Amino acid sequence: MATLTRVQLVFSSNRVAPAPAASLNHKCNCVASSSPLTRKLPHCSTPSSLSFNPFSSSFPSFSTRQNKGFRRTSLVVASMADLSTVLVTGAAGRTGQIVYKKLKERSDQFVVRGLVRTPESKETIGGADDVFVGDIRDTTTLVPAMQGIDALIILTSAVPRMKPGFDPTKGGRPEFYFEDGAYPEQIDWIGQKNQIDVAKEAGVKQIVLVGSMGGTNPNHPLNSLGNGNILVWKRKAEQYLADSGVPYTIIRAGGLQDRDGGIRELLVGKDDELLQTETKTIARPDVAEVCIQALKFEEAKFKAFDLASKPEGVGNPTKDFKALFSQITTRF
């Protein structure tokens, strides 16, 4: 959590010049997460970049008082060192984008970085300087993004492609393949192992890994897609993380849905038990929120769990994440 520091800015002046009109109507279009400032300040990159008259009582973020010819201005800031720096890998993916955006919106708590695979992917999420381009199969490309981070959220995954020519009107099942160099073994095992190793070397304090339910069943249909055995390799990476010694949270999400989050009661389970029920799906924004909340509670560390939700309108939307994590007893 950010801590507040009160910095006294002392200026010697008996006469205060009127502030320029533009300075009293400061408008900022900076990215919120680029600043360690608290909500009392507009979200600019640094205090020095603001166009303002530090003596003007019209500026709402400062307190001033006259004292024997001096006017003293107090500026409340949150030290950058006191904010948790979080790297989101797979930040251009459908769930990764949501996590990255949510963290950007909480700039009073987190400094966020993103890691994507290509410059084109970087542009899809805004192209900010806090987004790094790297290849999770090559550890040397991961080092710059991971230097100085406190937490890592892994959202990378191999993605099966449908072979062209499938006609649903003719019946049958579509066939899938993985692109060269992007098989589950390379992405979900080697790529995730590389991320864990580099983050550990960088002194990371917690790793949140998002996987999938179904890993207890080697014959799960997802393993047959493109002959990739994707859940097998995901499970191998999860075990590697659990054995790494780094505090971890492993989230095995149910079927991901592109729906609004924050309106359903979340369910946690173990060993794919939720797959035997009718509640085995979850909205992507809910997965994203659980990733972020896991960084805030000790109850989430050294835990692995399945995650799904009740249907909308059934039960009460989950708000107490400490209580949710406290339900979990499984380390793997």
Side-chain angles (χ1 to χ4, degrees), residues 34-296:
S34 66
S35 170
L37 303 183
T38 66
R39 295 190 188 95
K40 292 190 176 182
L41 289 173
H43 296 296
C44 297
S45 56
T46 62
S48 61
S49 70
L50 296 174
S51 173
F52 69 98
N53 181 350
F55 305 115
S56 172
S57 61
S58 299
F59 196 87
S61 302
F62 296 84
S63 62
T64 61
R65 63 185 177 89
Q66 192 84 25
N67 184 15
K68 294 183 179 180
F70 290 87
R71 181 158 293 195
R72 185 179 299 274
T73 302
S74 297
L75 170 62
V76 180
V77 300
S79 171
M80 180 70 77
D82 294 324
L83 299 175
S84 180
T85 299
V86 184
L87 174 64
V88 180
T89 62
R94 285 188 287 175
T95 306
Q97 288 189 47
I98 300 171
V99 176
Y100 177 75
K101 180 180 179 181
K102 280 177 173 282
L103 287 168
K104 294 277 272 190
E105 292 170 347
R106 302 175 196 187
S107 57
D108 60 334
Q109 302 174 55
F110 303 102
V111 176
V112 63
R113 300 178 188 173
L115 181 77
V116 298
R117 188 167 55 91
T118 65
E120 292 75 19
S121 296
K122 177 174 179 175
E123 291 304 316
T124 65
I125 57 172
D129 291 339
D130 58 27
V131 179
F132 295 76
V133 176
D135 184 346
I136 61 173
R137 299 165 300 180
D138 180 357
T139 57
T140 61
T141 70
L142 303 179
V143 173
M146 295 200 182
Q147 288 180 336
I149 64 171
D150 297 298
L152 169 65
I153 301 178
I154 300 177
L155 283 156
T156 54
S157 178
V159 179
R161 309 290 184 184
M162 185 185 296
K163 289 184 178 180
F166 173 69
D167 185 351
T169 64
K170 296 181 179 179
R173 294 176 178 270
E175 295 184 17
F176 293 86
Y177 70 100
F178 291 94
E179 295 177 348
D180 289 342
Y183 278 81
E185 181 180 2
Q186 297 161 305
I187 303 300
D188 294 279
W189 165 231
I190 296 173
Q192 292 189 0
K193 177 181 179 296
N194 287 343
Q195 293 176 69
I196 295 165
D197 288 343
V198 176
K200 182 177 180 179
E201 182 67 23
V204 72
K205 300 172 184 175
Q206 184 178 2
I207 297 177
V208 177
L209 172 60
V210 177
S212 301
M213 286 197 288
T216 61
N217 178 13
N219 297 316
H220 192 283
L222 287 178
N223 286 325
S224 65
L225 296 181
N227 295 317
N229 286 318
I230 188 168
L231 297 181
V232 174
W233 296 115
K234 284 181 180 292
R235 196 79 169 186
K236 188 175 178 70
E238 292 170 6
Q239 185 67 67
Y240 186 80
L241 174 58
D243 294 338
S244 69
V246 177
Y248 64 86
T249 306
I250 298 171
I251 303 169
R252 301 181 181 120
L256 296 171
Q257 297 183 322
D258 295 314
R259 298 184 177 181
D260 292 338
I263 56 177
R264 298 173 185 83
E265 182 174 333
L266 304 184
L267 302 170
V268 293
K270 62 178 183 178
D271 299 329
D272 293 331
E273 292 173 348
L274 291 174
L275 289 179
Q276 310 307 315
T277 72
E278 296 299 318
T279 52
K280 50 192 174 186
T281 60
I282 187 165
R284 292 181 188 274
D286 286 330
V287 176
E289 188 62 35
V290 172
C291 288
I292 296 170
Q293 293 293 332
L295 303 177
K296 300 169 65 174

